[in-house]
Amino acid sequence: MQPVQAPEILTAVVVYLVICLGIGWWAMRRTHTMSDFLVAGRALEPMVVVVATMSSIMSGLGFGGGPGLVYQTGTASFWMTVTCTFGMPFAWVTVGKRLRLLAEAREILTLPDAVAARYGEGAPRAAMAIAILLGVLGYLGTQILAIGIVLVAVLQVDLLTALVIGVGVLA
């Protein structure tokens, strides 16, 4: 991989990481309950939630994994462009309003809470929790690898060091 030579790029990446740490510190100091942590104390407007969700999709996936997949497989992977473009808005239109109404009517903080409210405790809730756990592990692993690869190129360090830096900022 070609190392980044421009000092302004290195400066921008370091400033970005410091800003991320600052935002994390600020948010940590404002978080006192599980509701604060999971749903920002129910203080966010729906559009803010939509933008936050889309920004999380357009991170390692959109700027690292997606282009890498297209590079490796060619136009056969353009299906991802369509699903990412229309999948999330479709989900918001079909499920989002109902889920929000359910969350307002009951004390729901997570999708397993919503499944339990709709289908009962036990197996449905456990199945949703397992599905989320598996999805989050894959997604988080991809995000950590993406930041590691970027930091290898920018900071000219080995991948393990880059991953430690990335996980440190994330944590």
Side-chain angles (χ1 to χ4, degrees):
M1 181 178 296
Q2 190 77 308
V4 175
Q5 299 294 328
E8 50 275 349
I9 293 176
L10 177 61
T11 302
V13 169
V14 170
V15 167
Y16 172 75
L17 293 175
V18 169
I19 289 171
C20 287
L21 286 170
I23 291 170
W25 180 260
W26 171 79
M28 184 179 71
R29 294 177 52 90
R30 293 178 47 126
T31 303
H32 304 291
T33 67
M34 187 62 74
S35 176
D36 290 342
F37 180 76
L38 293 173
V39 292
R42 299 183 189 269
L44 299 179
E45 295 296 320
M47 195 54 162
V48 174
V49 175
V50 170
V51 170
T53 303
M54 292 306 292
S55 69
S56 70
I57 290 172
M58 292 309 298
S59 53
L61 166 71
F63 294 109
L69 181 64
V70 172
Y71 178 77
Q72 282 185 334
T73 63
T75 57
S77 62
F78 281 154
W79 62 267
M80 189 170 69
T81 305
V82 174
T83 58
C84 287
T85 303
F86 298 108
M88 188 58 68
F90 180 75
W92 281 107
V93 169
T94 58
V95 180
K97 185 174 182 178
R98 291 180 183 155
L99 191 56
R100 182 165 174 102
L101 291 172
L102 182 62
E104 289 174 356
R106 301 195 183 184
E107 186 60 31
I108 292 176
L109 299 177
T110 65
L111 285 176
D113 290 345
V115 168
R118 178 71 172 90
Y119 299 105
E121 296 285 338
R125 178 185 215 132
M128 177 57 78
I130 291 168
I132 290 172
L133 177 65
L134 294 174
V136 166
L137 287 176
Y139 179 78
L140 187 58
T142 302
Q143 296 301 325
I144 291 170
L145 181 58
I147 194 167
I149 290 171
V150 168
L151 291 178
V152 163
V154 173
L155 301 178
Q156 299 178 28
V157 296
D158 62 288
L159 183 59
L160 182 59
T161 302
L163 291 173
V164 168
I165 293 168
V167 170
V169 170
L170 179 64

